[in-house]
Short mmCIF file of all heavy atoms in Angstrom, two decimals:
data_model
loop_
_atom_site.label_atom_id
_atom_site.label_comp_id
_atom_site.label_asym_id
_atom_site.label_seq_id
_atom_site.Cartn_x
_atom_site.Cartn_y
_atom_site.Cartn_z
N ALA A 1349 -1.75 38.85 -69.16
CA ALA A 1349 -1.67 39.96 -70.09
C ALA A 1349 -2.73 39.87 -71.17
O ALA A 1349 -3.08 38.79 -71.64
CB ALA A 1349 -0.28 39.99 -70.74
N GLY A 1350 -3.25 41.01 -71.57
CA GLY A 1350 -4.27 41.04 -72.61
C GLY A 1350 -3.70 41.22 -74.00
O GLY A 1350 -2.53 40.93 -74.24
N GLY A 1351 -4.51 41.70 -74.93
CA GLY A 1351 -4.10 41.89 -76.31
C GLY A 1351 -3.46 43.24 -76.51
O GLY A 1351 -2.98 43.88 -75.58
N ALA A 1352 -3.46 43.71 -77.78
CA ALA A 1352 -2.84 44.97 -78.13
C ALA A 1352 -3.55 46.13 -77.42
O ALA A 1352 -4.73 46.05 -77.10
CB ALA A 1352 -2.87 45.18 -79.64
N GLY A 1353 -2.79 47.19 -77.20
CA GLY A 1353 -3.34 48.34 -76.47
C GLY A 1353 -4.05 49.32 -77.37
O GLY A 1353 -5.08 49.02 -77.96
N SER A 1354 -3.48 50.53 -77.54
CA SER A 1354 -4.16 51.56 -78.30
C SER A 1354 -4.06 51.32 -79.80
O SER A 1354 -3.28 50.49 -80.25
CB SER A 1354 -3.52 52.93 -77.98
OG SER A 1354 -2.23 52.99 -78.54
N SER A 1355 -4.82 52.08 -80.57
CA SER A 1355 -4.78 51.96 -82.03
C SER A 1355 -3.54 52.61 -82.59
O SER A 1355 -3.19 52.39 -83.74
CB SER A 1355 -6.03 52.62 -82.62
OG SER A 1355 -6.06 54.00 -82.29
N LEU A 1356 -2.87 53.42 -81.80
CA LEU A 1356 -1.68 54.13 -82.29
C LEU A 1356 -0.46 53.23 -82.31
O LEU A 1356 0.34 53.27 -83.23
CB LEU A 1356 -1.40 55.36 -81.40
CG LEU A 1356 -2.45 56.46 -81.45
CD1 LEU A 1356 -2.17 57.48 -80.33
CD2 LEU A 1356 -2.44 57.15 -82.81
N GLY A 1357 -0.27 52.44 -81.27
CA GLY A 1357 0.90 51.60 -81.16
C GLY A 1357 0.64 50.19 -81.66
O GLY A 1357 -0.45 49.86 -82.09
N ARG A 1358 1.68 49.37 -81.60
CA ARG A 1358 1.56 48.00 -82.05
C ARG A 1358 1.63 47.02 -80.88
O ARG A 1358 1.51 45.83 -81.08
CB ARG A 1358 2.68 47.66 -83.05
CG ARG A 1358 2.72 48.57 -84.27
CD ARG A 1358 1.47 48.46 -85.10
NE ARG A 1358 1.35 47.16 -85.72
CZ ARG A 1358 0.23 46.71 -86.28
NH1 ARG A 1358 -0.86 47.43 -86.23
NH2 ARG A 1358 0.22 45.54 -86.85
N GLY A 1359 1.85 47.53 -79.68
CA GLY A 1359 2.05 46.63 -78.55
C GLY A 1359 0.86 46.56 -77.64
O GLY A 1359 -0.19 47.12 -77.88
N GLY A 1360 1.00 45.86 -76.56
CA GLY A 1360 0.01 45.72 -75.52
C GLY A 1360 0.74 45.18 -74.31
O GLY A 1360 1.97 45.10 -74.33
N MET A 1361 0.04 44.79 -73.27
CA MET A 1361 0.72 44.28 -72.09
C MET A 1361 1.49 43.00 -72.39
O MET A 1361 2.56 42.76 -71.83
CB MET A 1361 -0.30 44.06 -70.98
CG MET A 1361 0.35 43.81 -69.62
SD MET A 1361 1.50 45.13 -69.07
CE MET A 1361 0.35 46.49 -68.77
N ILE A 1362 1.00 42.19 -73.32
CA ILE A 1362 1.70 40.94 -73.62
C ILE A 1362 3.08 41.21 -74.19
O ILE A 1362 4.05 40.50 -73.88
CB ILE A 1362 0.87 40.06 -74.60
CG1 ILE A 1362 1.53 38.69 -74.78
CG2 ILE A 1362 0.67 40.74 -75.93
CD1 ILE A 1362 1.60 37.86 -73.55
N THR A 1363 3.22 42.26 -75.02
CA THR A 1363 4.56 42.55 -75.58
C THR A 1363 5.50 43.01 -74.47
O THR A 1363 6.71 42.78 -74.55
CB THR A 1363 4.49 43.62 -76.68
OG1 THR A 1363 4.17 44.89 -76.11
CG2 THR A 1363 3.50 43.25 -77.76
N LYS A 1364 4.96 43.64 -73.43
CA LYS A 1364 5.80 44.11 -72.33
C LYS A 1364 6.27 42.93 -71.47
O LYS A 1364 7.40 42.91 -71.00
CB LYS A 1364 5.03 45.13 -71.50
CG LYS A 1364 4.77 46.42 -72.29
CD LYS A 1364 3.69 47.27 -71.67
CE LYS A 1364 3.47 48.53 -72.49
NZ LYS A 1364 3.18 48.28 -73.92
N ILE A 1365 5.38 41.96 -71.29
CA ILE A 1365 5.75 40.75 -70.53
C ILE A 1365 6.83 39.97 -71.28
O ILE A 1365 7.82 39.52 -70.68
CB ILE A 1365 4.51 39.85 -70.31
CG1 ILE A 1365 3.45 40.60 -69.50
CG2 ILE A 1365 4.91 38.55 -69.64
CD1 ILE A 1365 3.92 41.11 -68.18
N LEU A 1366 6.68 39.86 -72.58
CA LEU A 1366 7.67 39.14 -73.39
C LEU A 1366 8.98 39.93 -73.45
O LEU A 1366 10.06 39.33 -73.48
CB LEU A 1366 7.13 38.87 -74.79
CG LEU A 1366 5.90 37.94 -74.85
CD1 LEU A 1366 5.39 37.82 -76.27
CD2 LEU A 1366 6.27 36.55 -74.29
N ALA A 1367 8.89 41.25 -73.48
CA ALA A 1367 10.10 42.06 -73.49
C ALA A 1367 10.87 41.89 -72.17
O ALA A 1367 12.10 41.80 -72.17
CB ALA A 1367 9.73 43.55 -73.69
N ALA A 1368 10.14 41.85 -71.06
CA ALA A 1368 10.79 41.63 -69.76
C ALA A 1368 11.48 40.28 -69.72
O ALA A 1368 12.59 40.16 -69.17
CB ALA A 1368 9.75 41.73 -68.64
N LYS A 1369 10.86 39.28 -70.31
CA LYS A 1369 11.46 37.95 -70.36
C LYS A 1369 12.75 37.97 -71.18
O LYS A 1369 13.75 37.37 -70.81
CB LYS A 1369 10.44 36.98 -70.99
CG LYS A 1369 10.91 35.54 -71.07
CD LYS A 1369 9.80 34.68 -71.65
CE LYS A 1369 10.20 33.22 -71.75
NZ LYS A 1369 9.10 32.40 -72.33
N ARG A 1370 12.73 38.73 -72.29
CA ARG A 1370 13.92 38.82 -73.14
C ARG A 1370 15.03 39.61 -72.41
O ARG A 1370 16.19 39.22 -72.46
CB ARG A 1370 13.57 39.51 -74.45
CG ARG A 1370 14.69 39.49 -75.48
CD ARG A 1370 14.31 40.30 -76.72
NE ARG A 1370 13.23 39.67 -77.47
CZ ARG A 1370 13.42 38.83 -78.47
NH1 ARG A 1370 14.65 38.51 -78.84
NH2 ARG A 1370 12.39 38.33 -79.11
N ALA A 1371 14.66 40.69 -71.77
CA ALA A 1371 15.65 41.49 -71.05
C ALA A 1371 16.30 40.68 -69.92
O ALA A 1371 17.49 40.83 -69.63
CB ALA A 1371 14.99 42.76 -70.48
N ALA A 1372 15.51 39.83 -69.30
CA ALA A 1372 16.02 39.00 -68.20
C ALA A 1372 17.11 38.05 -68.67
O ALA A 1372 17.95 37.62 -67.88
CB ALA A 1372 14.88 38.22 -67.56
N GLY A 1373 17.11 37.73 -69.97
CA GLY A 1373 18.13 36.83 -70.50
C GLY A 1373 19.53 37.37 -70.34
O GLY A 1373 20.50 36.59 -70.26
N SER A 1374 19.68 38.69 -70.28
CA SER A 1374 21.01 39.27 -70.05
C SER A 1374 21.13 39.84 -68.64
O SER A 1374 22.05 40.60 -68.35
CB SER A 1374 21.29 40.36 -71.09
OG SER A 1374 20.34 41.41 -71.02
N GLY A 1375 20.18 39.49 -67.78
CA GLY A 1375 20.28 39.87 -66.38
C GLY A 1375 19.61 41.18 -66.00
O GLY A 1375 19.80 41.66 -64.88
N ALA A 1376 18.80 41.77 -66.89
CA ALA A 1376 18.14 43.04 -66.59
C ALA A 1376 16.73 42.80 -66.05
O ALA A 1376 15.93 42.11 -66.68
CB ALA A 1376 18.08 43.92 -67.83
#
């Protein structure tokens, strides 16, 4: 995963990977 995406948002692909890891903690 790279760094932050657009100038409008605060996320990037890395935040999505970490979000998936967090969601997996409850089985999603």
Side-chain angles (χ1 to χ4, degrees):
S1354 70
S1355 61
L1356 294 170
R1358 302 297 293 167
M1361 192 56 69
I1362 186 64
T1363 70
K1364 294 163 180 54
I1365 299 304
L1366 295 176
K1369 182 177 180 180
R1370 188 184 292 268
S1374 60

